[in-house]
Amino acid sequence: MSFLPKKDYYEVLGVSKNATEDEIKRAFRQLARKYHPDVNPGNKEAEEKFKEINEAYQVLSDPQKRAQYDQFGEAAFRPEDFANYRWPDFDDLFKDFGFGDIFDSFSDFADFGFGSFARKARQKRPQRGSDLLYETEITLEDAFKGTEKIIEIPKMHRCDSCNGTGAEKGLLRKCDACNGAGEIRQYKRQGFMQFTSISTCRKCQGSGEIYEKKCKKCNGSGFMKKISKIKVKIPKGIRSGQHLRIAGEGEPGLNNGPNGDLYVRVKILEHSVFRREGNDLHCNLEIDLLTAIFGGKVKLETIKGEAVINIPAGTQNNTKMRLKGLGMPELNSERYGDLFVNIIVKIPTNLSINQKNLLREALGGKSNGKDNKERKGFFGKLKDSFS
């Protein structure tokens, strides 16, 4: 689940950092032949290895992404950059490298019986299940410390009574419409030429098998929808919109193929105090006029707990203060961003006549011949007036 550990994409493909596009393509092709899920049905290790190979190839085969990777490493990409990627079928994969569909090579021999075998092999082979996407909401505090959630999702499950065949036990038989071939052939002769048209058998939908009596539990579909409860571990520092991958929790595969994956998109709810930018947090702090003029210590509730800020004398409205290390944690790291505090000076209202006169005298800047001792006494009166 969640994110893959840091890796060297060049090492994954077994090429040097100076490898050409052709060398990268050849290395990927050789590894894909070995680890593709179609070649290793049900092998989770091979499936994970193939995903890692694909991720490396997606980056290194794209000049722009490769340049980003060479400069910033894996940090240049986020897990969701690869979330929507679905690997191609094994034969489609090698078409992209100049290889034809290995099953199509049999089609020229249809009249000799090889084409039927090839098409049936295509229909019968395991197929990976579909991926699922689910969105869950968390608070900023959850994102700060990390959390676990139990999510409930409705999804298809292979029927445990018929194991996905759709038939009551022992009542699955060869299709009598196509004689188990999964296809219907029609021949037409014109002179010395014979033409053959081949179509998928409608009765068995190309499987070559039908049930004499359908499974009572799934009504013959082979699958049932159930509510699955899945525990999701959300790491600290995650950002809104990022995805977590839970392997094998997607839809079941056909013909006993592997399950797809579940992708959980995390949405962080808007906070009443803090605004997040990257790993930094921003907030406003309201102080009174006296604190702005004379300075002082003010308590502030941060995401880490209570902190005390020293406000310098003469602080102006909209002054920004930076508190290091009081922001959000960096994903999979012990480093933290900063907290930026915007100071809002609260201007008093409903002043008394005495307070207004004291302010006018103070802000007017006239000493009126007062010496320093008298001046200090004046500011003391001003402070006492507003206390």
Side-chain angles (χ1 to χ4, degrees), residues 1-160:
M1 192 190 79
S2 73
F3 307 112
L4 295 173
K6 291 185 177 180
K7 61 186 78 67
D8 186 322
Y9 288 145
Y10 292 100
E11 286 185 6
V12 170
L13 294 183
V15 297
S16 70
K17 293 188 176 181
N18 298 321
T20 64
E21 289 185 22
D22 287 337
E23 288 172 337
I24 291 171
K25 186 180 290 187
R26 281 197 299 270
F28 170 68
R29 186 178 66 203
Q30 291 171 355
L31 291 170
R33 276 178 163 172
K34 182 177 180 181
Y35 293 106
H36 195 285
D38 284 358
V39 182
N40 303 274
N43 187 331
K44 286 293 182 182
E45 286 188 15
E47 182 180 323
E48 292 302 316
K49 181 67 175 177
F50 186 76
K51 288 179 181 179
E52 187 179 62
I53 294 165
N54 256 318
E55 183 179 317
Y57 181 69
Q58 286 180 75
V59 173
L60 299 185
S61 64
D62 184 309
Q64 184 176 352
K65 289 181 180 178
R66 184 177 180 180
Q68 288 178 308
Y69 176 73
D70 287 343
Q71 186 173 1
F72 301 108
E74 194 182 0
F77 308 98
R78 296 183 298 174
E80 60 264 35
D81 294 332
F82 308 101
N84 294 325
Y85 182 78
R86 293 292 304 276
W87 60 67
D89 288 338
F90 185 79
D91 44 349
D92 292 335
L93 175 69
F94 290 100
K95 277 183 181 178
D96 295 335
F97 294 95
F99 288 79
D101 186 334
I102 58 175
F103 292 111
D104 288 343
S105 63
F106 291 99
S107 61
D108 293 335
F109 303 98
D111 290 334
F112 297 96
F114 291 102
S116 175
F117 165 79
R119 278 180 289 277
K120 190 171 182 181
R122 185 203 295 263
Q123 294 157 1
K124 287 287 189 179
R125 68 179 179 177
Q127 298 179 37
R128 182 178 181 272
S130 299
D131 293 338
L132 295 176
L133 178 64
Y134 180 91
E135 184 172 88
T136 188
E137 295 180 340
I138 63 171
T139 64
L140 188 66
E141 286 80 4
D142 288 336
F144 175 79
K145 60 188 178 183
T147 186
E148 280 189 354
K149 294 196 73 173
I150 302 294
I151 63 174
E152 296 186 1
I153 58 171
K155 67 174 186 175
M156 300 304 293
H157 292 256
R158 191 174 286 108
C159 177
D160 53 13

Side-chain angles (χ1 to χ4, degrees), residues 22-314:
D22 287 337
E23 288 172 337
I24 291 171
K25 186 180 290 187
R26 281 197 299 270
F28 170 68
R29 186 178 66 203
Q30 291 171 355
L31 291 170
R33 276 178 163 172
K34 182 177 180 181
Y35 293 106
H36 195 285
D38 284 358
V39 182
N40 303 274
N43 187 331
K44 286 293 182 182
E45 286 188 15
E47 182 180 323
E48 292 302 316
K49 181 67 175 177
F50 186 76
K51 288 179 181 179
E52 187 179 62
I53 294 165
N54 256 318
E55 183 179 317
Y57 181 69
Q58 286 180 75
V59 173
L60 299 185
S61 64
D62 184 309
Q64 184 176 352
K65 289 181 180 178
R66 184 177 180 180
Q68 288 178 308
Y69 176 73
D70 287 343
Q71 186 173 1
F72 301 108
E74 194 182 0
F77 308 98
R78 296 183 298 174
E80 60 264 35
D81 294 332
F82 308 101
N84 294 325
Y85 182 78
R86 293 292 304 276
W87 60 67
D89 288 338
F90 185 79
D91 44 349
D92 292 335
L93 175 69
F94 290 100
K95 277 183 181 178
D96 295 335
F97 294 95
F99 288 79
D101 186 334
I102 58 175
F103 292 111
D104 288 343
S105 63
F106 291 99
S107 61
D108 293 335
F109 303 98
D111 290 334
F112 297 96
F114 291 102
S116 175
F117 165 79
R119 278 180 289 277
K120 190 171 182 181
R122 185 203 295 263
Q123 294 157 1
K124 287 287 189 179
R125 68 179 179 177
Q127 298 179 37
R128 182 178 181 272
S130 299
D131 293 338
L132 295 176
L133 178 64
Y134 180 91
E135 184 172 88
T136 188
E137 295 180 340
I138 63 171
T139 64
L140 188 66
E141 286 80 4
D142 288 336
F144 175 79
K145 60 188 178 183
T147 186
E148 280 189 354
K149 294 196 73 173
I150 302 294
I151 63 174
E152 296 186 1
I153 58 171
K155 67 174 186 175
M156 300 304 293
H157 292 256
R158 191 174 286 108
C159 177
D160 53 13
S161 178
C162 66
N163 197 30
T165 64
E168 287 290 332
K169 292 182 179 179
L171 298 178
L172 191 66
R173 61 179 175 82
K174 185 165 61 174
C175 176
D176 54 6
C178 63
N179 199 30
E183 61 188 23
I184 301 295
R185 294 185 177 202
Q186 292 180 330
Y187 299 94
K188 185 178 181 181
R189 182 175 294 279
Q190 289 185 356
F192 295 102
M193 302 291 292
Q194 177 175 290
F195 298 91
T196 305
S197 64
I198 303 172
S199 58
T200 301
C201 178
R202 293 184 179 181
K203 189 169 184 178
C204 66
Q205 299 298 316
S207 68
E209 295 174 320
I210 57 174
Y211 47 75
E212 294 180 9
K213 189 176 182 181
K214 63 184 177 183
C215 175
K216 295 177 181 177
K217 194 169 184 179
C218 66
N219 199 32
S221 69
F223 297 92
M224 299 180 65
K225 182 167 282 191
K226 295 181 182 178
I227 300 296
S228 292
K229 292 185 178 182
I230 301 170
K231 181 185 289 187
V232 180
K233 186 175 181 181
I234 300 175
K236 66 179 184 179
I238 194 166
R239 300 186 188 183
S240 194
Q242 286 189 312
H243 294 73
L244 302 172
R245 182 179 62 84
I246 306 177
E249 289 293 350
E251 297 282 16
L254 298 177
N255 300 323
N256 292 317
N259 290 357
D261 296 334
L262 170 65
Y263 289 91
V264 179
R265 179 191 292 136
V266 177
K267 179 182 179 182
I268 300 176
L269 297 171
E270 191 173 325
H271 199 274
S272 59
V273 176
F274 301 109
R275 176 174 53 86
R276 184 179 184 178
E277 290 185 6
N279 293 325
D280 296 327
L281 292 176
H282 297 257
C283 72
N284 294 327
L285 175 63
E286 198 174 78
I287 63 172
D288 57 49
L289 184 60
L290 282 180
T291 304
I293 294 172
F294 296 105
K297 295 183 183 297
V298 177
K299 291 181 179 179
L300 172 66
E301 197 66 36
T302 75
I303 193 112
K304 277 189 172 182
E306 192 177 85
V308 177
I309 302 180
N310 186 31
I311 305 293

